[in-house]
Amino acid sequence: MATTPKLLLTDLAAGIQHIPTNYIRPISDRPNLMEVLPPVGTIPIIDLHGLDGTNHSDIIKQIGQACQRDGFFQIKNHGVPEKVVENMLRIAREFFWLPESERLKNYSDDPSKEVRLSTSFNVRTELVSNWRDFLRLHCYPLERYIDQWPSNPPSFREDVAEYCTSIRRLVLRLLQAISDSLGLDRDYMDKAMRQHGQHMALNYYPPCPEPELTYGLPAHTDCNLITILLQDDVTGLQVLRQGKWVAINSVPNTFIVNLGDQMQVLSNDLYKSVLHRAVVNCKKERISIPTFYCPSPDAIIGPAPELVDEDHPAVYKNFTYSEYYDKFWNKGLATETCLDMFKVSTT
């Protein structure tokens, strides 16, 4: 009797010795793990203690330098309670350990759904699959979405809501600081987004028997404004720096902050949205939880007028965030970004 194909990688991967052919990347598009640089002093760690007080100007300077040079930085003393973080990682792991039938209650391959469990990136359009399952949640305004979230494990909604609320407070502080570092009004980013959007992914990367042949996620930039990444203690994130892939270790009690494409546009290319990817390993599962902070779909995105003059013309034309988001999902993850599609023509 024929078996029903598994919808989720978690269930497919259990006990296999070789990865299925649809996960194998072309030779020219494999991780080349031996060429990855070690995670020594790779991205700056910024201490946010005193951001609203005595250390304000120094921290703003550090944030500005990191945004301009790296596009990625880590933060400590960020104000999110350690217990909230522990609960978030625990509940994510418990969710992916649920029986297959329970997890599948949340399954959908429709990218437009606000709450969905799926696999890879966009199974409707991609040619090669990614070694990842994920649960995608919209989470602001919280009251609009929380009743759509999974109700199992029993504390899921409570734990995730507390985490989302804490992360939103952190993001708003960071957006003020980034606006300040650009010489803009502190509320510039806040206003540019109109009605804010916040969503998150609970990414689950099972152990992979042949990690050199595939990706958890291939190289991409984030299409949103800013991303706050929580990850467990298993290394997997890599960032492109000066043409080389660099591994980023997880540091306890920190978050990784990376700028998205909308930040690069609003800063008129002063700040960078950087290519990054996720690789997998053969020994341990890995969990990462990015929170994506976004403009509302009708927000008009373009370079801040204060950053445009005769010597610094606008690099990008204005567009709505929904235009950009649609192109991002239709294009799929690729090494080129969508930003080039929205540049001002110089011909």
Side-chain angles (χ1 to χ4, degrees):
M1 189 172 69
T3 58
T4 304
K6 298 293 186 183
L7 292 173
L8 295 170
L9 173 65
T10 305
D11 308 302
L12 172 70
I16 64 172
Q17 303 300 313
H18 300 282
I19 67 174
T21 55
N22 59 305
Y23 288 92
I24 299 176
R25 293 269 158 185
I27 293 175
S28 61
D29 183 29
R30 291 180 184 172
N32 293 321
L33 298 173
M34 299 300 292
E35 298 179 8
V36 175
L37 298 180
V40 179
T42 47
I43 61 173
I45 297 181
I46 299 176
D47 189 342
L48 295 187
H49 179 71
L51 174 60
D52 302 317
T54 53
N55 296 335
H56 178 78
S57 59
D58 182 50
I59 296 171
I60 295 299
K61 182 180 179 182
Q62 290 180 56
I63 289 174
Q65 289 173 340
C67 291
Q68 195 163 6
R69 187 184 63 222
D70 301 287
F72 266 79
F73 56 95
Q74 296 180 81
I75 51 173
K76 64 180 183 179
N77 290 320
H78 41 66
V80 179
E82 192 173 339
K83 189 65 176 176
V84 171
V85 171
E86 290 174 357
N87 286 343
M88 184 66 245
L89 285 169
R90 173 188 52 77
I91 207 70
R93 188 166 278 108
E94 287 179 5
F95 175 82
F96 286 104
W97 286 353
L98 288 172
E100 179 183 11
S101 59
E102 186 65 29
R103 280 180 281 116
L104 284 175
K105 292 176 182 178
N106 305 282
Y107 181 83
S108 174
D109 64 3
D110 180 0
S112 67
K113 285 200 69 174
E114 294 165 337
V115 175
R116 69 185 183 107
L117 174 68
S118 195
T119 192
S120 191
F121 178 72
N122 186 348
V123 294
R124 291 184 174 184
T125 61
E126 63 200 4
L127 299 177
V128 183
S129 298
N130 302 300
W131 199 263
R132 172 186 83 137
D133 286 340
F134 65 93
L135 178 66
R136 190 91 169 186
L137 305 174
H138 281 235
C139 36
Y140 182 79
L142 193 58
E143 61 274 9
R144 183 186 300 170
Y145 300 114
I146 191 169
D147 289 341
Q148 302 174 45
W149 292 357
S151 56
N152 196 11
S155 67
F156 185 93
R157 292 178 180 177
E158 179 184 353
D159 291 338
V160 178
E162 189 172 13
Y163 178 79
C164 289
T165 303
S166 296
I167 292 297
R168 181 168 185 269
R169 283 195 294 265
L170 172 60
V171 168
L172 294 177
R173 293 177 69 210
L174 286 172
L175 291 181
Q176 286 185 341
I178 292 171
S179 296
D180 211 349
S181 71
L182 285 165
L184 303 171
D185 291 341
R186 295 191 76 204
D187 62 355
Y188 185 86
M189 296 293 171
D190 185 348
K191 289 181 176 177
M193 291 194 299
R194 292 176 58 84
Q195 296 178 7
H196 300 191
Q198 179 184 346
H199 47 102
M200 64 193 297
L202 281 59
N203 293 325
Y204 183 76
Y205 304 97
C208 176
E210 297 172 297
E212 70 281 1
L213 300 181
T214 192
Y215 288 107
L217 281 173
H220 64 284
T221 60
D222 290 354
C223 73
N224 51 295
L225 183 71
I226 189 171
T227 302
I228 310 295
L229 178 68
L230 168 64
Q231 53 182 351
D232 65 11
D233 59 356
V234 179
T235 301
L237 173 66
Q238 298 179 351
V239 175
L240 190 66
R241 294 191 71 184
Q242 300 174 338
K244 298 285 188 180
W245 286 105
V246 180
I248 306 296
N249 272 354
S250 178
V251 178
N253 303 317
T254 68
F255 291 107
I256 291 175
V257 179
N258 73 276
L259 307 184
D261 294 349
Q262 309 313 304
M263 189 70 78
Q264 183 163 330
V265 173
L266 287 164
S267 71
N268 202 31
D269 261 3
L270 283 172
Y271 291 173
K272 303 303 179 188
S273 176
V274 177
L275 285 168
H276 53 286
R277 66 186 189 180
V279 297
V280 291
N281 72 87
C282 60
K283 294 181 179 179
K284 291 184 176 181
E285 65 184 6
R286 175 174 177 258
I287 286 178
S288 73
I289 304 172
T291 295
F292 306 101
Y293 219 77
C294 320
S296 60
D298 62 346
I300 305 296
I301 306 298
E306 296 90 336
L307 303 177
V308 176
D309 57 31
E310 195 172 318
D311 296 324
H312 306 90
V315 179
Y316 302 96
K317 56 190 176 184
N318 289 354
F319 53 85
T320 64
Y321 182 59
S322 62
E323 289 179 74
Y324 197 94
Y325 191 76
D326 289 347
K327 278 192 166 45
F328 176 84
W329 272 98
N330 290 334
K331 176 181 70 71
L333 297 181
T335 52
E336 71 277 3
T337 74
C338 283
L339 284 170
D340 291 339
M341 302 180 192
F342 294 89
K343 285 188 172 179
V344 173
S345 175
T346 56
T347 57

